[in-house]
Amino acid sequence: MSARNRSGVLRRCRDDDDGFAIVTVLGAMFVLTAIVLAALGYALSSMPQARRSQDWGAALGAAQAGVDDYRRHLNDNDTYWTKGNVDNDASGNPLNKAFTQRVSVPGTPAGGATYTYRLLTTVNTTASTGLIRVKVTGQSRAAKRTIVANIRKTGFLNYVYFTDKETIDPAIVANLRNESYAAWSTKCNKYYYTGRSDCYDTYFGDSDVINGPLHTNDAMMLGGQPTFTSPQTETSWADDATPAPPASGRYRQQYAGSKPNNKGYAPVYAGPLLMPPTNSEIKTQTDPGTTGCLYTGPTRIVLESNGKMLVTSPYTKSVNAGCSTSLPMTTAQEVILPVNGVVYVQGIPAATGDPNHTDTCTPGTLGYPQAGDITPYNCNDGNVFLEGTLSGQLTIAVGNDIIPTGDVLYNTGVTGTDVLGLVANNYVTVYHPVNSSGQNLGVASAGGQPMQNIEIDAAILSVNHCFTVQNWNRGAPLGARHVVGTTAAAFSPISALGDSNGIVSGYNDKFDYDRRLLALPPPYFLKPTAAPWLTSSVSEQTPS
């Protein structure tokens, strides 16, 4: 009995163990199932969020693709911006649909990311400032992102110092040597790496400090220890040129021997920026019916801090409204700065049918040259004699020379919105009268004394020649020629005659870069030909 009881007890104990195991297994399976279901639920709930995140990024990528697409059109057609927001064929069919509808990002499947864009700047604004602002909206499924890109050409305003060729102007050399200009131009109006030799090449030496970006299309020559403060110290001396740049550095050495110890940034390669042949593009902004001012022959302009200018231009017979108070302009007339910000001074037209034609002119017009001055002037030329303090935004361009006769300053310095462009077909040359003995003469702007030191706040461009000083190789030293802005020219700037002891005559140079010019260019300032359009900045708009 007891054995059977023990047997029964034991049997019952085994039944209880089996039931507990089953319960344990079922519980574990339930827990695992719950975990799996929870993970699956989390994964399913995360999918829309991940999709939204992917679409959010894809929408931004699509917007950036739209900027690249518009920039591609600009680089294919340099004046594409003049189309505004319409690019149709002769029958009115859209050639570029992105202005009006969503366009698929190249390389993506149908129904993928798209973009559309629209210009925010007008044709007139871009013509004046060189800036294009384009608003681009990218979309991927329901996600949309909008950016605004600023696009502009790399131009002369990007640099405190720009030259096409690092040599003294052949016209200056020919005049000094009393030799043929044609011969010197044939020999020296070319790049070092295309065969220039036996010319008066310039170099950067111990005392040279360039405070800002620099570019030359030529091969730079270094001597001593110049200092370049910007990584944008650029030369267009390419590796495949003949001769090629030396392995030791992309520059020439003034003398054989030890390598120059440049204290700043070393020159790096950048493609050439080609100078336009003339500034006639600016002159069109003074054509009859425009809001610019065209003056003729020798013209004196004194800028005033009240937003006006005093203009004397005896050979001007016809002007646009607002550019004079009466004609002829034989005495100074106070006029408001032109509406479009452009003044052009042309030579006296030879065509008898031109309203500003004059049969003859009188040497010494406006008092230049002054008594005793040996500097030659042609009374037919379009020269402007300039000084004063500017309040506003102005570009002065001339058919011949711009001659600063005193300080040219901004009323608000370089912290406000005053900005000036000086664009000469030939020279921008500082006034420096001397007598037949080579002695400095006094000038009115300096109270009858020689003009010691001069400051010019402006973006300076000499299209075919250079930024210089009259009679730079005569007279006693005159201090500093200080430019706040930019200097760009076909040939190296020249301001003084020096020897091993320093400056013998003329001015020392000091150039300081005005970085405002990148966002605040002078009206209708010239741009290089065939320069690429680049995106200068991008900002995202907050969704409304």
Side-chain angles (χ1 to χ4, degrees):
M1 171 79 65
S2 61
R4 289 195 298 272
N5 286 344
R6 286 195 296 270
S7 177
V9 170
L10 291 172
R11 187 168 55 248
R12 287 196 296 271
C13 287
R14 287 197 296 273
D15 289 345
D16 290 344
D17 290 345
D18 291 345
F20 179 77
I22 291 171
V23 170
T24 302
V25 170
L26 289 174
M29 290 177 64
F30 177 79
V31 172
L32 289 173
T33 301
I35 292 172
V36 170
L37 290 174
L40 180 61
Y42 177 78
L44 291 173
S45 67
S46 297
M47 286 179 66
Q49 181 177 351
R51 177 74 260 180
R52 285 194 297 270
S53 179
Q54 291 175 4
D55 288 342
W56 186 246
L60 179 60
Q64 293 170 332
V67 174
D68 292 340
D69 177 63
Y70 184 75
R71 198 157 52 83
R72 175 184 62 80
H73 283 286
L74 284 171
N75 286 321
D76 288 343
N77 175 5
D78 195 54
T79 61
Y80 189 73
W81 54 272
T82 61
K83 295 178 179 291
N85 283 301
V86 179
D87 182 12
N88 295 338
D89 63 17
S91 300
N93 300 312
L95 296 173
N96 183 356
K97 297 179 180 180
F99 288 116
T100 57
Q101 64 188 63
R102 291 163 56 186
V103 175
S104 295
V105 175
T108 59
T114 61
Y115 60 83
T116 184
Y117 47 66
R118 191 159 191 83
L119 297 186
L120 301 179
T121 42
T122 66
V123 170
N124 288 338
T125 298
T126 300
S128 173
T129 65
L131 174 68
I132 297 171
R133 300 187 73 233
V134 59
K135 178 180 178 181
V136 187
T137 298
Q139 184 168 350
S140 178
R141 299 179 187 267
K144 289 184 178 180
R145 297 182 77 173
T146 298
I147 60 177
V148 174
N150 290 338
I151 301 173
R152 64 170 66 249
K153 280 189 171 187
T154 298
F156 307 118
L157 298 178
N158 290 69
Y159 305 97
V160 66
Y161 176 103
F162 169 89
T163 59
D164 186 44
K165 300 177 182 72
E166 281 290 286
T167 191
I168 295 179
D169 188 338
I172 291 178
V173 175
N175 181 62
L176 285 174
R177 296 172 62 98
N178 195 28
E179 295 176 357
S180 165
Y181 166 68
W184 278 97
S185 181
T186 299
K187 181 171 67 168
C188 299
N189 191 5
K190 60 179 66 174
Y191 302 117
Y192 167 75
Y193 50 79
T194 60
R196 186 179 71 234
S197 64
D198 195 27
C199 298
Y200 289 83
D201 290 359
T202 55
Y203 70 94
F204 295 91
D206 285 333
S207 62
D208 288 323
V209 179
I210 307 298
N211 290 316
L214 174 152
H215 181 100
T216 179
N217 292 335
D218 206 353
M220 297 172 63
M221 184 159 62
L222 272 58
Q225 298 184 23
T227 302
F228 302 110
T229 66
S230 172
Q232 277 189 280
T233 302
E234 302 170 351
T235 171
S236 297
W237 192 2
D239 290 333
D240 58 356
T242 303
S248 58
R250 199 178 294 269
Y251 54 83
R252 306 162 57 195
Q253 294 181 217
Q254 182 193 12
Y255 301 113
S258 61
K259 176 182 175 181
N261 181 18
N262 173 38
K263 292 180 287 187
Y265 289 90
V268 297
Y269 176 80
L273 302 176
L274 302 182
M275 191 79 75
T278 72
N279 60 19
S280 58
E281 174 185 324
I282 301 176
K283 185 181 178 183
T284 62
Q285 302 303 320
T286 65
D287 286 346
T290 66
T291 56
C293 292
L294 176 67
Y295 300 111
T296 300
T299 299
R300 177 168 172 77
I301 297 177
V302 179
L303 302 170
E304 298 184 300
S305 59
N306 59 2
K308 299 180 180 180
M309 55 185 181
L310 293 172
V311 181
T312 312
S313 188
Y315 296 108
T316 296
K317 295 182 177 181
S318 177
V319 293
N320 286 326
C323 297
S324 72
T325 55
S326 63
L327 294 172
M329 303 180 72
T330 53
T331 58
Q333 298 180 15
E334 187 177 58
V335 297
I336 298 174
L337 298 183
V339 174
N340 69 0
V342 175
V343 167
Y344 195 96
V345 179
Q346 65 175 353
I348 295 175
T352 56
D354 190 291
N356 280 298
H357 171 77
T358 296
D359 289 329
T360 59
C361 63
T362 303
T365 300
L366 299 178
Y368 302 104
Q370 67 183 61
D373 182 13
I374 63 171
T375 309
Y377 298 95
N378 186 332
C379 59
N380 285 288
D381 287 340
N383 292 328
V384 64
F385 300 85
L386 177 70
E387 62 185 73
T389 300
L390 173 69
S391 179
Q393 298 169 15
L394 181 67
T395 291
I396 300 175
V398 301
N400 194 45
D401 297 345
I402 295 174
I403 306 165
T405 55
D407 288 338
V408 180
L409 306 173
Y410 294 144
N411 187 45
T412 55
V414 293
T415 60
T417 59
D418 302 328
V419 64
L420 177 65
L422 301 179
V423 185
N425 264 343
N426 291 327
Y427 296 94
V428 178
T429 179
V430 173
Y431 186 56
H432 176 214
V434 298
N435 61 24
S436 58
S437 299
Q439 297 172 320
N440 298 331
L441 296 177
V443 301
S445 61
Q449 298 297 313
M451 189 162 55
Q452 293 285 336
N453 303 315
I454 183 171
E455 179 175 335
I456 304 172
D457 299 346
I460 296 172
L461 176 58
S462 172
V463 176
N464 291 301
H465 290 283
C466 69
F467 178 39
T468 184
V469 174
Q470 292 179 343
N471 306 302
W472 54 273
N473 58 334
R474 295 184 175 94
L478 292 165
R481 179 178 67 166
H482 183 197
V483 174
V484 180
T486 63
T487 61
F491 299 97
S492 298
I494 185 167
S495 61
L497 179 66
D499 62 16
S500 58
N501 296 315
I503 297 297
V504 175
S505 61
Y507 293 93
N508 270 310
D509 273 334
K510 180 182 179 183
F511 298 155
D512 287 324
Y513 187 41
D514 183 356
R515 294 187 178 275
R516 298 178 312 140
L517 295 169
L518 291 174
L520 185 68
Y524 299 94
F525 199 80
L526 283 185
K527 296 177 287 294
T529 61
W533 291 90
L534 301 174
T535 303
S536 58
S537 64
V538 176
S539 61
E540 184 169 6
Q541 289 194 333
T542 303
S544 56

